[in-house]
Amino acid sequence: MYFVNRDHIENTLLYMSGLLETYEQQSSATFLEKLGIERLSQMVIESMVDVGNMMIDGFIMRDPGSYEDIIDILIDEKVIPQEDEQAYKDVIGLRKMLVREYTNINHEQIEAILSKNVKTLEQFRPYVLDYLEKEMGPVTTFTKREES
């Protein structure tokens, strides 16, 4: 095992959780709200990909060949369950539209995929944290905050 930056992983997971909570409380009637959904969707995807890559690098798992392969590796290594594979891949599949085809976004498709899979996405954080605890043990060292 190489260095695993648990703080960075946890911060990314918390960011993703906040995005998902925001998604569940939003509407997308205006153009600005649609842009917000685009950004939110992209950042959920980037959060999953970044955490996946940190896990893969930190625990010396096989190298991914694609974004979907990150999900395959996390399933193979028992970080996330096999039954959630399609949900994660459906969401990651939106990345191409969001990043490369941004002038032709299908907002209904984004919302349909996110709405269908939001509960599964919310489980990503607990799965990763559970894996970290199993592999590294509970956090036992706490750093004292310096007072300003």
Side-chain angles (χ1 to χ4, degrees), residues 6 10 13 124-134:
R6 287 174 86 157
E10 175 64 10
L13 291 169
F124 188 76
R125 179 175 180 255
Y127 290 142
V128 170
L129 294 177
D130 184 57
Y131 183 87
L132 288 173
E133 187 161 333
K134 286 178 187 172

Side-chain angles (χ1 to χ4, degrees), residues 65-107:
S66 67
Y67 294 112
E68 287 189 352
D69 200 28
I70 293 168
I71 299 302
D72 292 335
I73 294 167
L74 294 178
I75 290 169
D76 292 346
E77 297 292 332
K78 309 284 190 258
V79 178
I80 58 177
Q82 173 78 42
E83 59 267 16
D84 293 343
E85 175 181 8
Q86 197 58 54
Y88 290 118
K89 287 184 176 182
D90 286 349
V91 173
I92 286 176
L94 294 171
R95 189 179 188 281
K96 181 180 177 186
M97 179 184 4
L98 292 164
V99 174
R100 294 190 183 146
E101 300 165 0
Y102 52 85
T103 60
N104 194 26
I105 298 280
N106 182 335
H107 294 95

